[in-house]
Each structure stands twice: as C-alpha cells, then as structure tokens.
Amino acid sequence: MLQPILRWFLYYKRIEYVFTNRRALAYYRDSQEIEFEIEASAIPDMKKTPARAGLINLHAVIEEQGELQKARGETQYVKVGFEGVPANILERYT
C-alpha cells in the first residue's frame, strides 16, 4: 500500500515541468538533468487522463535509443508524460 506513496515522494516530487511555445520538458530539480522533452506540436496528441481537482495527466510513447541500443541497432519505446498539470494547458497548444 505504501509503494505508490513512496514512488511519488522519491520520484515525482523531484521532477519539474516547463511548457513553452516550442516544447515541453521534464527535468530533475536537483541535478537539472532533462528526463525527456517533446515538441509543442506533439502536445495536443498526447493521451489525456483526468487527475484530481482540475488537473490532468498527459502521456505519450516516444522512441529512445541509448548507447547500447544504438550499438545493437535497436529502438526502445518509452512511456513519458506529465502528471498533475492544469487542464487548461492544452488551450495554449491547439
């Protein structure tokens, strides 16, 4: 029962989001390392699910090639997204 709470505290609480007119990105607050970024034109196509109190979650599946995958000629697909963002954020990208 504590696993979702611990996951949120240890992982999501360290991530911040930035939305601009060109892209949106998620980065780690402590290290400033970018976890992922997505072009602004792709934001309206992200899957939208309701969260709580006027917030939504946005998710997409992106291709990711790490050094090992590049060496093998493989592609990995990763689910990325934004958790608990204001629902009106999509109005800026339509």
Side-chain angles (χ1 to χ4, degrees), residues 58-78:
L58 297 172
H59 293 120
V61 176
I62 62 171
E63 279 186 18
E64 184 175 85
Q65 274 193 328
E67 295 301 318
L68 184 59
Q69 285 88 12
K70 284 181 187 177
R72 293 180 180 170
E74 299 173 346
T75 301
Q76 180 179 1
Y77 294 94
V78 180

Side-chain angles (χ1 to χ4, degrees), residues 17 19 24-26 36 38 46 56-59 81-85:
Y17 306 134
F19 288 86
L25 58 93
F36 75 92
I38 192 164
M46 295 180 80
I56 60 171
N57 301 323
L58 297 172
H59 293 120
F82 304 100
E83 302 286 331
V85 296

Side-chain angles (χ1 to χ4, degrees), residues 1-50:
M1 184 171 178
L2 289 176
Q3 185 182 14
I5 295 168
L6 289 174
R7 182 176 168 201
W8 177 84
F9 185 75
L10 295 174
Y11 179 70
Y12 294 114
K13 194 164 173 100
R14 300 180 329 176
I15 293 180
E16 291 192 357
Y17 306 134
V18 176
F19 288 86
T20 70
N21 60 338
R22 298 171 128 189
R23 66 185 177 153
L25 58 93
Y27 70 95
Y28 291 99
R29 183 182 308 160
D30 300 336
S31 67
Q32 305 294 309
E33 180 184 343
I34 295 175
E35 180 186 13
F36 75 92
E37 61 184 285
I38 192 164
E39 295 290 325
S41 60
I43 294 171
D45 297 332
M46 295 180 80
K47 182 179 178 184
K48 179 177 80 168
T49 56

